[in-house]
Amino acid sequence: MNSSRQHARSIQRILAAVAAVFGFATIWAGTRVLAGSDPGYVVLQPLLFYNTAMGVAYLATGIVMWRSREGGKLAAAAILVLNLLVLAGIGFAYVNGYAVAIESIRAMTFRTGVWLGLYLGFAWLSRGTSAPGS
């Protein structure tokens, strides 16, 4: 394996690890609140369930990313789109006076930004690669 391919493989593994760790952190935070821990602001229950479930998807996507660049790119794109839709929905609700905490908007913006970065990383890695298992 040449050094350029080795470098790309290392970046792929780092991005996959970020996705998996982010998934674990999301599951941990969500289950704590579901178990009764008070985050210090009003929790929008559907968003809490969504984010906790997405933590599992983030973890699964980390595994996909570890194994396949193209699969990782597609999974990251799907998560990015879902997060953007949810962010738009809670942003709309917030602007229209529904009980959505600004912390929820910030957290969803952060999640969406993380997945934008992961998607862009995999899009960059998968450009011009056609090798099996890439």
Side-chain angles (χ1 to χ4, degrees), residues 3 13 30 32 53 58 60 75 79 95 131:
S3 77
R13 297 280 166 96
R32 282 190 58 215
Y58 298 169
I79 289 172
V95 167

Side-chain angles (χ1 to χ4, degrees), residues 83-104:
N83 284 352
L84 276 170
L85 290 171
V86 170
L87 178 59
I90 65 171
F92 177 82
Y94 179 79
V95 167
N96 286 290
Y98 291 92
V100 176
I102 191 65
E103 292 85 357
S104 294

Side-chain angles (χ1 to χ4, degrees), residues 48-59:
L48 174 61
F49 290 124
Y50 169 82
N51 284 330
T52 305
M54 287 306 289
V56 176
Y58 298 169
L59 182 56

Side-chain angles (χ1 to χ4, degrees), residues 1 3-5 8 12 23 25 29 35 38 43 55 80-81 85 87 91 105 109 126-127 134:
M1 186 183 291
S3 77
S4 175
R5 242 181 111 141
Q12 178 181 346
D38 182 7
V43 175
L80 173 61
V81 168
L85 290 171
L87 178 59
I105 301 289
T109 300
S126 66
R127 78 202 183 307
S134 304

Side-chain angles (χ1 to χ4, degrees), residues 17-35 41 46-60 79 83 107-108 110-112 114-115 118:
V18 167
V21 168
F22 197 61
F24 276 123
T26 301
I27 293 166
W28 179 76
T31 55
R32 282 190 58 215
V33 176
L34 286 170
Y41 54 89
L47 182 61
L48 174 61
F49 290 124
Y50 169 82
N51 284 330
T52 305
M54 287 306 289
V56 176
Y58 298 169
L59 182 56
I79 289 172
N83 284 352
M108 201 67 223
F110 176 72
R111 286 181 181 91
T112 303
V114 167
W115 284 97
L118 289 169

